[in-house]
Amino acid sequence: MEDKLIEKLVSIAGEDWVIVDLEKIEGYLYDETPKPASPEAIEDVVVVKPEDSEEISAVMKLANEEGVNVIPRGAGTGLCGAAIPTKPAIILSLERLNDIKDLDEDNLMVTCEAGVTLENLFEKVDETDHLFFPPHPGDEGAQVGGLVVENAGGARAVKYGVMRNYVKGMEVVLPTGEQVSLGGKILKNNTGYDLMHLLMGSEGTLGIITEVTLRLYPEANETATLLVPFEDRHSAMSAVPRVLIEGHIPLALEYVEKELIEESARHLGKSWPADEGEAFLILIITGKDEEEIFDKSETMVGVLQENGALEPLFAQRRKEQESILDIRSNVYTALEEETTDILDVTVPPAEVGTLIDKIEELAEEYDTRIPVYGHAADGNVHPHIMNVDGEAPGYFEELKEEIYQIALDMGGVITGEHGVGETRLKNLPAALSEEERKLMRGIKKIFDPNDVLNLGKAVM
Ligand SMILES: Cc1cc2nc3c(=O)[nH]c(=O)nc-3n(C[C@H](O)[C@H](O)[C@H](O)COP(=O)(O)OP(=O)(O)OC[C@H]3O[C@@H](n4cnc5c(N)ncnc54)[C@H](O)[C@@H]3O)c2cc1C
């Protein structure tokens, strides 16, 4: 980066907030994309940490004058390389915008700056004792801005939907430096095109989100966890729609198989509490009191057993529930070291069993192992492509394309929650028509006429 540019950044944000020292920049170069699949970061970058939207606006105006790429940076927990610099860039970190400005209990809304972490948001909302923020994508270190532009999902989407369902207002600095205020504390808004929803899922390519207003919900007081074993995958999967039709939508409805969940338990030094079954559904049930929880659980167990479930395990004590959920959450970490890439293909929910069968056939064909688990009721699963001898296998791209094609042929999509970023960019032509991609390129050009915001990500 040229000294002149760095001086101008210093004049905007102050010397303490412009980082050029390579050692200090290191932590801003990568996200959580598994290393073998991650794009190689370049070091020709400068990190700037603005204090507010005025400074962000000034940085964007400077970037337009100088023709420099700017990459908005949240917490770097993304899984598709969307925040990794692969061209010379100003990395614009949102970390100093970390204020929760307003918790409005009457309107059930919270307004916070984009750099607030999910963990801090949960803590703040918890203080009310009766409200909660439903979405729970797996890493609580993620920032609200990152969660919004990745339209993150997670296990609770089955009952409450993804981030998109919660964002009611946002403040945005456009790529050209102008600022816009979209939506607000309102639940209905039909005034023109919905620009706010366009920003959601835009992966930092259409604007920099500085503040977000999110919808809250009344908290359920009680939870219980049902661990339900089945003889096989298809019995488990065919029970899922039956549970949903019954009307007691669980907070989460996760799917795991025996070999994998036992591997995760071993990884944590624990043991998986179910003695029988090859495939498992994990249901989190919520209710206002114990009675409601028991009623709902009874109904669900009835439905599940009519549909092939073996003896379910009912966990109500906090410790027992946490232990089951901890083992499920750590499937990812148990596999992480040997993973080339984690995919998040999504198909119509009733097709998940068939999708996993087909992935298993591919694994045999490639003489490898492709562990699969995920959010059963959303049709969203995570196949892991595994390393060979500690490295990405030579067939990695080909196998990834084949898995994507299977999902697409089943009426699905190549990514349900992690986004396109850079790692899935080359797969876009298989997933979207030329007409769709042309519209997306056109939208990008309108927002960012001088091509300065997060180039080479999400759109092609
Ligand atoms: C262990 C683990 C579990 C996970 N589980 C889930 C899960 O269950 N569901 C799920 O959906 N995801 C999951 N993720 C992925 C990740 O947490 C999400 O993609 C999250 O939304 C990224 O937020 P971030 O703040 O870390 O963004 P970053 O990784 O920093 O950036 C992601 C993208 O957002 C852009 N960006 C960041 N902040 C802003 C802003 N304020 N304005 C404009 N653009 C911005 C960046 O430029 C980049 O394009 C998981 C990740 C990990 C490591």
Side-chain angles (χ1 to χ4, degrees):
M1 284 288 131
E2 285 180 16
D3 290 347
K4 212 174 70 195
L5 181 81
I6 291 164
E7 274 165 32
K8 287 185 181 169
L9 286 172
V10 167
S11 73
I12 293 170
E15 202 168 352
D16 290 349
W17 306 111
V18 178
I19 319 290
V20 287
D21 180 352
L22 247 190
E23 250 176 52
K24 292 187 182 146
I25 282 177
E26 200 84 33
Y28 295 85
L29 295 182
Y30 284 97
D31 64 8
E32 291 292 331
T33 308
K35 282 291 163 293
S38 178
E40 189 72 32
I42 63 159
E43 293 176 347
D44 189 8
V45 297
V46 50
V47 176
V48 61
K49 305 181 185 184
E51 179 181 34
D52 55 23
S53 53
E54 294 308 317
E55 288 187 3
I56 294 175
S57 167
V59 172
M60 291 318 301
K61 286 182 178 155
L62 173 66
N64 279 271
E65 281 160 24
E66 303 286 336
V68 188
N69 182 30
V70 176
I71 305 179
R73 172 96 188 172
T77 68
L79 292 169
C80 59
I84 297 180
T86 50
K87 298 175 172 38
I90 299 170
I91 297 178
L92 189 150
S93 168
L94 277 300
E95 67 199 85
R96 288 176 72 207
L97 278 73
N98 59 5
D99 189 22
I100 298 180
K101 290 185 146 176
D102 171 38
L103 204 161
D104 180 347
E105 296 196 28
D106 293 339
N107 284 307
L108 289 89
M109 304 264 181
V110 60
T111 300
C112 60
E113 291 187 308
V116 167
T117 63
L118 189 58
E119 184 182 14
N120 289 345
L121 179 66
F122 283 150
E123 277 167 12
K124 183 73 184 175
V125 176
D126 260 2
E127 285 172 16
T128 64
D129 252 359
H130 56 271
L131 291 177
F132 103 120
F133 180 63
H136 193 212
D139 193 325
E140 291 186 13
Q143 293 180 4
V144 168
L147 292 164
V148 171
V149 297
E150 289 297 337
N151 185 28
R156 293 181 191 165
V158 52
K159 187 173 172 94
Y160 288 104
V162 296
M163 278 302 289
R164 187 182 289 284
N165 301 73
Y166 295 88
V167 181
K168 298 300 163 196
M170 59 169 78
E171 302 292 319
V172 183
V173 176
L174 296 175
T176 42
E178 284 86 15
Q179 299 182 48
V180 290
S181 183
L182 305 172
K185 287 183 188 172
I186 39 175
L187 296 173
K188 291 182 169 176
N189 182 1
N190 271 351
T191 331
Y193 292 161
D194 198 331
L195 298 175
M196 194 169 72
H197 274 262
L198 204 47
L199 265 293
M200 296 180 220
S202 64
E203 305 197 52
T205 62
L206 297 183
I208 298 176
I209 297 182
T210 57
E211 189 178 301
V212 186
T213 296
L214 298 163
R215 179 89 200 266
L216 302 173
Y217 276 78
E219 183 164 39
N221 297 330
E222 293 288 332
T223 65
T225 300
L226 273 179
L227 169 53
V228 192
F230 289 82
E231 294 282 11
D232 59 64
R233 174 183 305 153
H234 283 277
S235 317
M237 287 306 170
S238 56
V240 172
R242 305 273 79 82
V243 171
L244 300 180
I245 288 165
E246 198 53 43
H248 296 321
I249 311 267
L251 181 65
L253 205 174
E254 297 288 284
Y255 176 73
V256 284
E257 294 185 0
K258 184 177 172 180
E259 190 186 327
L260 193 53
I261 200 72
E262 288 186 346
E263 188 175 338
S264 174
R266 276 196 304 279
H267 171 75
L268 294 174
K270 294 184 175 180
S271 59
W272 182 236
D275 298 326
E276 53 176 359
E278 292 296 318
F280 303 92
L281 295 179
I282 303 169
L283 292 82
I284 303 180
I285 299 159
T286 54
K288 61 180 185 316
D289 51 31
E290 272 197 357
E291 200 184 326
E292 191 179 328
I293 291 280
F294 285 137
D295 279 354
K296 282 185 179 177
S297 303
E298 216 176 3
T299 313
M300 283 194 203
V301 168
V303 173
L304 288 158
Q305 287 190 317
E306 273 166 30
N307 286 278
L310 305 172
E311 195 57 44
L313 229 118
F314 177 78
Q316 200 193 1
R317 280 191 300 123
R318 200 189 166 116
K319 245 184 148 175
E320 272 179 305
Q321 294 194 62
E322 277 174 1
S323 178
I324 295 170
L325 299 176
D326 195 29
I327 299 173
R328 157 62 189 94
S329 306
N330 277 282
V331 170
Y332 173 74
T333 33
L335 296 173
E336 199 176 5
E337 213 164 289
E338 280 306 308
T339 293
T340 302
D341 200 4
I342 171 178
L343 312 186
D344 68 316
V345 282
T346 303
V347 294
E351 310 298 328
V352 172
T354 311
L355 171 71
I356 303 179
D357 285 350
K358 291 187 175 187
I359 293 175
E360 203 168 67
E361 282 166 25
L362 264 187
E364 270 176 41
E365 211 180 287
Y366 280 81
D367 192 21
T368 183
R369 168 180 179 236
I370 311 178
V372 184
Y373 56 96
H375 316 304
D378 302 335
N380 175 206
V381 292
H382 297 305
H384 281 239
I385 297 181
M386 304 302 281
N387 291 341
V388 172
D389 298 329
E391 286 180 13
Y395 53 73
F396 163 52
E397 291 294 342
E398 188 187 319
L399 177 55
K400 184 168 75 159
E401 277 167 26
E402 290 216 45
I403 295 174
Y404 286 162
Q405 199 53 52
I406 289 172
L408 293 167
D409 290 344
M410 294 174 77
V413 294
I414 63 171
T415 169
E417 53 178 17
H418 296 163
V420 173
E422 187 157 335
T423 58
R424 281 178 259 284
L425 204 56
K426 52 177 150 334
N427 307 104
L428 272 191
L432 298 172
S433 66
E434 172 52 25
E435 274 314 306
E436 287 168 289
R437 287 188 292 119
K438 195 170 147 196
L439 283 169
M440 290 184 191
R441 289 194 298 270
I443 291 166
K444 167 77 174 153
K445 199 72 189 166
I446 290 173
F447 274 78
D448 185 13
N450 299 322
D451 277 337
V452 293
L453 195 62
N454 217 4
L455 295 185
K457 315 283 178 177
V459 201
M460 79 175 292

